[in-house]
Amino acid sequence: MQTASFTASSESTPSPADPTAGAPLAGRPAWLNRFHSLGPAFSTAWPARALPGPHWVARNEGLARELGLDLDWLASDEALDVFTGNRPWGGNASIATVYSGHQFGMWAGQLGDGRALLLGETRTAAGPMEFQLKGSGPTPYSRMGDGRAVLRSSIREFLASEALHGLGVATTRALCITGSPAPVRREETETAAVVTRVAPSFIRFGHFEHFSHNGLHDELRQLADFVIAHHYPGCADETQPYTALLAAVTARTAALMADWQAIGFCHGVMNTDNMSILGLTLDYGPFQFLDGFDPTHICNHSDHQGRYAYNRQPNVAMWNLYALGQALMPLIGDSDTALAALETYKADFPGLLRRAMGAKLGLPELDADGEIRLLNPLLQLMARERTDYPIFWRRLSEGLPGTPQFEAVRDLFLDRPALDAWAADYTAHVAGRDTAAISAAMLRTNPKYVLRNHLAQTAIEAAENGDFQPTQDLLSVLSSPYDEHPQHDALAGFPPDWASNITISCSS
């Protein structure tokens, strides 16, 4: 799996001599605002709308340290107001960006940051980072919406983004959540919240689609040049830089999909406006980590056709990349070169997924033959029995076939003869190898803790009653999910029966 949620290249990090380099976040940040500099065709300067009675719900001190934020300031009333949208931060000018996109495979036209505001971008130890408020009120792109987020969905996004980061999967990050007693109407009346998100960029496939679809080719080129200069500088040296950009985004997206599938992560709403140009997991709505292994699982209650089912995610990602390729055609010109860049997905993804799944078996070198003989029969057996996905992999890591601990793996299956036959094949495959080393590697690949729906729901219900400690406890565990955390063993158990009744939709 990828080892960092965001990585800044040396070219994208301003040098000390650069007058736009900014200052440490512990003081007043000097905002770079590079996206803002693109001009009014790309965004609209817009203030957040204040919320009454703000209070802290959760703060991510680990991320704050990475960003160079002063922890005392982060706990202050000033920071509370800043991250609720009740006061500006260091003279920044917040903006909402415009984009378009395909939603559930259909062209949706103009969309945009309907409830998100880019506070600004500043230099950090990890490179330039953008800070974005989600839920800070209506913008010019709200399309009759209220621009708000509710406590429920904000906690889910806060925990999920940090859970994926802890798992080593590329993602946006979450710095904090603030809450307010202000009512927000969804299926029922809930309370408002604002989550602060952090990423090198929140540019989406839909940003490119917007300018291409509307025939704004100068702006399309300006956006592509901006992304290349600041995020893919190596593409600038290529003979066909826009084709190279498409190929680079394709490669990152393939890697992201392999990681999602390996950890059993379902995004739930893979519209093109929810696809990051940097290959980050973006926009946590009706996501879910698999409980019982079901390749056809649909986590989004609103996805009536199953377009975004778990086993369809890799193909949907390819479909979205083709939409991006179509958007870039005015710059690329030649369809054959664009197709060649996109076709690398078909070559890269299977190998990336095989490598990720092989690592779960302690066999990162797993070849196509091993996939056929070892991996596929195992997954078919797990699918027939709906075997608990994270618990199986963790138990297998702790007790390989031939050890007494393997009995705990056998206890997960009704068809034990089928499992035993698979175990015999696995044992023959690893014969002569250091099984202790294999097990140790698997424990670093198969997490003990994932953010199951019922864990998030329990934290949400506690928070709705004014108890935010369960959210902080989950954050702590999910930030290092491969560690034991014996005091939190209960969080690694089977889901309760009521978990199957949790429904997650696009409403938030």
Side-chain angles (χ1 to χ4, degrees):
M1 295 184 184
Q2 300 174 63
T3 57
S5 290
F6 37 69
T7 302
S9 67
S10 59
E11 291 92 339
S12 68
T13 304
S15 68
D18 185 342
T20 68
L25 281 172
R28 291 290 186 182
W31 298 106
L32 305 178
N33 289 334
R34 294 181 298 185
F35 192 92
H36 197 180
S37 69
L38 287 172
F42 297 85
S43 64
T44 302
W46 201 260
R49 181 174 292 181
L51 280 168
H55 58 263
W56 289 112
V57 175
R59 295 188 296 271
N60 185 351
E61 293 187 352
L63 176 57
R65 291 188 187 95
E66 293 177 36
L67 297 171
L69 276 171
D70 181 86
L71 296 185
D72 289 336
W73 179 81
L74 182 61
S76 70
D77 290 342
E78 179 185 16
L80 176 63
D81 280 339
V82 164
F83 294 125
T84 307
N86 287 9
R87 75 162 78 179
W89 185 13
N92 68 302
S94 57
I95 60 172
T97 73
V98 62
Y99 50 83
S100 298
H102 287 83
Q103 298 190 330
F104 290 89
M106 304 295 292
W107 179 247
Q110 180 177 304
L111 302 168
D113 292 330
R115 54 180 172 163
L117 284 175
L118 180 62
L119 285 183
E121 177 191 33
T122 193
R123 182 171 59 87
T124 76
M129 292 291 159
E130 294 181 349
F131 287 70
Q132 186 185 76
L133 300 184
K134 182 176 180 180
S136 53
T139 77
Y141 312 114
S142 294
R143 297 184 299 161
M144 305 301 291
D146 58 20
R148 293 299 185 192
V150 296
L151 182 61
R152 161 180 53 87
S153 63
S154 299
I155 288 175
R156 283 177 57 82
E157 173 150 357
F158 177 81
L159 292 174
S161 56
E162 291 309 299
L164 280 190
H165 174 68
L167 291 165
V169 180
T171 179
T172 59
R173 303 289 302 278
L175 178 63
C176 60
I177 311 172
T178 66
S180 165
V184 177
R185 182 67 186 176
R186 294 296 182 259
E187 284 88 353
E188 58 186 16
T189 300
E190 303 181 57
T191 57
V194 179
V195 60
T196 299
R197 311 197 290 188
V198 180
S201 175
F202 289 93
I203 296 175
R204 306 147 185 269
F205 290 13
H207 282 94
F208 289 86
E209 288 185 288
H210 175 76
F211 296 107
S212 184
H213 181 83
N214 289 293
L216 301 171
H217 295 169
D218 289 343
E219 288 81 359
L220 177 67
R221 185 180 303 274
Q222 187 181 358
L223 178 63
D225 289 345
F226 176 90
V227 170
I228 289 172
H230 296 302
H231 303 292
Y232 292 96
C235 296
D237 299 327
E238 298 292 331
T239 304
Q240 298 174 314
Y242 305 118
T243 305
L245 173 62
L246 180 59
V249 176
T250 298
R252 289 200 187 186
T253 303
L256 180 66
M257 290 303 107
D259 284 352
W260 280 9
Q261 299 305 109
I263 64 171
F265 177 76
C266 311
H267 185 279
V269 59
M270 291 176 62
N271 299 329
T272 58
D273 58 295
N274 291 338
M275 296 292 292
S276 161
I277 202 71
L278 300 185
L280 306 175
T281 310
L282 175 68
D283 280 357
Y284 292 88
F287 70 86
Q288 184 177 358
F289 289 85
L290 290 177
D291 290 329
F293 183 60
D294 177 5
T296 65
H297 181 70
I298 303 166
C299 71
N300 182 354
H301 187 62
S302 305
D303 184 7
H304 304 297
Q305 302 303 315
R307 176 179 176 83
Y308 299 137
Y310 166 74
N311 62 350
R312 293 184 175 180
Q313 291 183 145
N315 285 342
V316 170
M318 186 170 65
W319 192 98
N320 290 342
L321 285 164
Y322 273 77
L324 175 63
Q326 184 65 39
L328 287 171
M329 278 305 299
L331 306 182
I332 294 174
D334 179 55
S335 60
D336 288 341
T337 58
L339 284 172
L342 291 165
E343 289 294 300
T344 59
Y345 183 93
K346 295 179 182 178
D348 291 348
F349 171 76
L352 290 166
L353 180 59
R354 182 168 61 244
R355 189 176 309 136
M357 295 303 295
K360 296 179 76 65
L361 285 168
L363 303 170
E365 75 288 353
L366 190 72
D367 58 14
D369 181 63
E371 181 177 16
I372 293 171
R373 291 192 299 107
L374 282 180
L375 179 60
N376 290 348
L378 174 62
L379 294 178
Q380 291 163 6
L381 174 60
M382 292 175 66
R384 289 198 302 271
E385 301 214 5
R386 297 294 190 264
T387 308
D388 189 280
Y389 193 74
I391 288 179
F392 166 79
W393 288 110
R394 189 67 177 188
R395 286 191 181 182
L396 184 65
S397 305
E398 295 167 338
L400 295 178
T403 67
Q405 293 83 2
F406 188 67
E407 280 302 309
V409 179
R410 297 183 77 240
D411 287 344
L412 298 173
F413 293 86
L414 292 174
D415 189 351
R416 291 190 175 186
L419 178 66
D420 290 342
W422 174 84
D425 289 339
Y426 180 89
T427 300
H429 194 88
V430 301
R433 301 202 29 197
D434 184 347
T435 54
I438 291 176
S439 179
M442 292 171 67
L443 287 169
R444 296 190 297 270
T445 303
N446 297 312
K448 181 174 180 177
Y449 301 94
V450 297
L451 182 61
R452 298 178 188 260
N453 268 348
H454 74 277
L455 298 179
Q457 185 62 30
T458 299
I460 289 166
E461 291 176 0
E464 289 173 339
N465 289 309
D467 180 5
F468 306 123
Q469 191 58 48
T471 298
Q472 288 291 161
D473 289 343
L474 264 180
L475 173 65
S476 176
V477 169
L478 295 170
S479 296
S480 52
Y482 301 101
D483 296 343
E484 284 297 323
H485 303 289
Q487 70 276 29
H488 294 298
D489 274 345
L491 301 178
F494 291 98
D497 291 341
W498 58 263
S500 61
N501 297 321
I502 298 173
T503 57
I504 308 296
S505 71
C506 293
S507 170
S508 60

